[in-house]
Amino acid sequence: MFDGRDPVYLQIADQIRQDVLSGALAAEEQVMSTTQYATTFRINPATAAKAFAQLVDEGVLYKRRGVGMFVAPGARERLVADARESFFADTVDPVADAARVLGIDVEDVVARLRTRAASEPAAPVTAPPATPAAPEEGSR
Amino acid sequence: MTATTAGWGVELQGVTQRFGDVVALDDVSLTVRPGTITGLLGRNGSGKSTLGSLLAAFRRPTAGRVLVDGEEPWENERVVPGVCFVRESGDVLDDFSIKDNLAYVSGARPTFSHELAGELLDLFELDPKRKPGKFSRGKKSAFGIVLGLASRAPLTILDEVHLGLDAPSRYAFYDALLADYAAHPRTIVLSSHLIGEIERLVEDVVVLDRGRVLVAQDAETLRAEGVSVTGPAAAVEAFVAGREVLATQRLGGTTQATVRGGVAEGDVRRARQDGLELGPVPLQDLFVHLTDPQRATHVGGAR
Amino acid sequence: MTATTAPAVATRAPARTSPTLHVARRQGVAALRLAAWFWPIALLALAAVTITAWVVEGRVDVSIAVHGRQALVWFLFSQAIQVAATYPRVHVAAGMTRRSLVRGTLLASGATGLAYALVLTGVVLVERWLHGLAGWGSALREVQLAGERAPLWALPIDTVVLTLLAITTGLLVGITYQRWGAWATLTLPLTVGPLLALLFLGIAPTGDVPGLGDVAPRALVGLAGGVGALGVLVVAAAFAVIARRLPLSAQA
């Protein structure tokens, strides 16, 4: 609910994080340049640059001078660890709150979670084989 | 040719422009950061075009100082070749072909790119042999865009250049603008009534209202300043107490208020507990609220 | 500008021709295109009038081409009004100063006036030769500054003063309308006055003016040319002063 109010650069950063998390962007894979990002999504290049700068600070991306932006090795593992930490506070707690307001028994919620988990092939939680670390001379 | 400057900054110091009894700009002080795309917003007659006229040395202000890259532009041999002000009306030779017009402008502008001009003429399907005097409004606008972008001036002011363009042409314009801006950074001042279309293109926003600066800040911050609060009337009223309320709407027992001013993390938690929903306010709505004549004069926080 | 040999080096300061010369050249090209329309039509008209006069009178003993100077003056005058009405907006919008507008315009105007005067002189000479072949005379009437008794070389001087005054007056009238709109009409007696004076007061052969009858033709041409040239300078200066301060209207 707070998401829509986020500045555009945060939304861009979030989207790239999601892509890394889901594996759509693998480690050492090059991401779009700010210019490509700006023209593709019709946003100000500075906005895209701000998102990238944040991701570089977080260690999700790193810069190779004169070449472009790449997904940092180990970025996905770090994001998974972060997401796990905030999973209960951000995702589970609101479900519990909503269930209480609606008068839904917690046991029913748990049952639903069990059925769901059994029917869907779970996304891989384990990290893919570790990729060799690339030289990071341009990072930061 | 390659642009060597990253764009020129603009500074206005207490600038007033009168036309007889009409005050087009009223003691305006303002800074445009070099190298940004700045959105210049305002209702008709708010002073946007007058501001552009002063930057491009079309006229001298009644009072105050206009500085472009640190110098007054009026009759300034160094500054004027680097300022390009494109008006919707189009300041071109109506009875001469596009080719002649390009020769006239390119000879005067050291940064002019014939290559880009050619690409843009193709993009907007303009025949170099035709004369602007016989163009439709949309084609005139398109030719203004060609001159404005191909000039690659360190300070480019595009004033309502989208008028008469259909949606595909407008998006072609936005794409060309962003692509060339990214490759050749410079200062661009973009004024448009289609705020929804340009809000993501601009880094900074200046809102003029009746000749005064209402807002001058970066677009992200301005957008984040507008919050819509929706929920039970009593809870909304309690939440917005002490805040700058721009508009209020009621539907049954539900109230939606648009407030200006940032919302802290604690406010978000409190709102959630009270069953209130916080939502974004499109820049367009924020603009309409801010420039609503009914709001009269009690606008705080403008610098 | 040529980009053929120079490598694309970012640090190289881009070459820029003098705005004054650039504008003078663009305006010169435009004037040439108009001249390409004007002279064929003017020559056709000259031939038509000559033939008509020949049919009616049996012979033509005056220079018809010199009579045509009236048309030439008003053509140049209106062309200059158009220049003053069109260029300031476009010139400033293209990133140039009013200073270069004034200089470039006066340069192109001077060249245009000179060229028209020389072409007219050439036409008069050809006409005189043709009249000679037919056994007619070729009196120069309506020569305003130099008078009928003036030597032939006085003609181009006489004419160039007239063309330059016509053009500068057109520029002045055009720029006053740009500056003051309809109110500029009030200034017309002042702005067009010198040109009208030269055209119509000058028609009286200078030999009839008391005291001038005994002046040698050479001195007379010098005197008349000098007065005319002074008029041109004053009108051009007025144009320059107004154009240098011209604000451009909010809406075109």
Side-chain angles (χ1 to χ4, degrees), chain A residues 32-106:
Chain A
M32 274 197 255
S33 68
T34 47
T35 303
Q36 287 170 320
Y37 224 95
T39 48
T40 309
F41 296 103
R42 286 204 187 95
I43 55 165
N44 191 293
T47 311
K50 212 164 160 187
F52 286 5
Q54 190 183 45
L55 292 170
V56 168
D57 276 353
E58 288 173 11
V60 176
L61 301 181
Y62 72 95
K63 190 191 282 175
R64 276 191 220 159
R65 205 168 288 277
V67 186
M69 292 283 190
F70 293 82
V71 178
R76 182 170 179 277
E77 292 76 358
R78 261 190 310 259
L79 286 174
V80 167
D82 289 351
R84 278 183 170 163
E85 235 170 70
S86 59
F87 173 73
F88 286 97
D90 285 358
T91 311
V92 179
D93 289 356
V95 170
D97 291 351
R100 188 168 47 232
V101 171
L102 297 173
I104 296 172
D105 193 81
V106 177

Side-chain angles (χ1 to χ4, degrees), chain C residues 49-62 64 136:
Chain C
V49 171
T50 306
I51 289 167
T52 308
W54 173 42
V55 168
V56 173
E57 300 282 330
R59 55 186 294 126
V60 187
D61 285 331
V62 294
I64 305 289
W136 304 336

Side-chain angles (χ1 to χ4, degrees), chain B residues 4 58 75 77 87 100 104, chain C residues 10 22 33 93 98-99 248 250:
Chain B
T4 47
F58 277 33
E75 289 294 88
E77 299 274 5
R87 310 193 277 184
D100 286 338
Y104 192 89
Chain C
H22 170 62
R33 285 187 201 157
R98 289 155 183 79
R99 190 183 306 119
L248 295 170

Side-chain angles (χ1 to χ4, degrees), chain B residues 17 19 24-25 40-56 58-59 85-89 157-160 163 189 191 193 208, chain C residues 248-251:
Chain B
Q17 176 69 61
F19 298 101
L25 290 176
L40 180 59
L41 312 179
R43 300 160 63 95
N44 291 333
S46 59
K48 301 184 305 260
S49 299
T50 303
L51 177 58
S53 302
L54 294 176
L55 298 180
F58 277 33
R59 53 175 60 251
F85 177 39
V86 181
R87 310 193 277 184
E88 186 246 334
S89 49
I157 306 139
L158 303 172
D159 185 18
E160 304 283 348
L163 290 174
V189 176
S191 99
H193 284 121
L208 288 182
Chain C
L248 295 170
S249 57
Q251 280 307 313

Side-chain angles (χ1 to χ4, degrees), chain B residues 1-2 4 56-60 74-77 80-81 83 87 89-93 95-96 100 103-110, chain C residues 1 10 14 16-17 22-23 26 30 33 86-87 89-99 244-252:
Chain B
M1 278 193 226
T2 321
T4 47
F58 277 33
R59 53 175 60 251
R60 269 185 293 192
W74 177 266
E75 289 294 88
N76 188 323
E77 299 274 5
V80 289
V83 184
R87 310 193 277 184
S89 49
D91 298 295
V92 296
L93 298 164
D95 302 325
F96 290 79
D100 286 338
Y104 192 89
V105 173
S106 63
R109 295 207 180 270
Chain C
M1 271 192 276
R16 185 177 184 231
T17 49
H22 170 62
V23 169
R26 298 313 311 173
R33 285 187 201 157
T86 309
Y87 281 94
R89 215 161 48 81
V90 180
H91 181 92
V92 174
M96 290 179 282
T97 57
R98 289 155 183 79
R99 190 183 306 119
R244 283 294 301 275
R245 286 159 183 75
L246 182 74
L248 295 170
S249 57
Q251 280 307 313

Side-chain angles (χ1 to χ4, degrees), chain B residues 115-170:
Chain B
E115 191 189 344
L116 180 60
E119 285 171 18
L120 293 172
L121 288 180
D122 287 347
L123 179 68
F124 292 116
E125 294 174 333
L126 294 168
D127 180 353
K129 290 194 277 298
R130 294 201 51 207
K131 297 173 180 176
K134 291 176 181 157
F135 282 167
S136 66
R137 193 181 196 191
K139 289 282 180 202
K140 267 189 184 155
S141 292
F143 186 46
I145 289 168
V146 173
L147 292 176
L149 293 184
S151 289
R152 283 197 182 141
L155 174 61
T156 304
I157 306 139
L158 303 172
D159 185 18
E160 304 283 348
V161 290
H162 62 278
L163 290 174
L165 289 184
D166 57 11
S169 304
R170 285 203 305 275

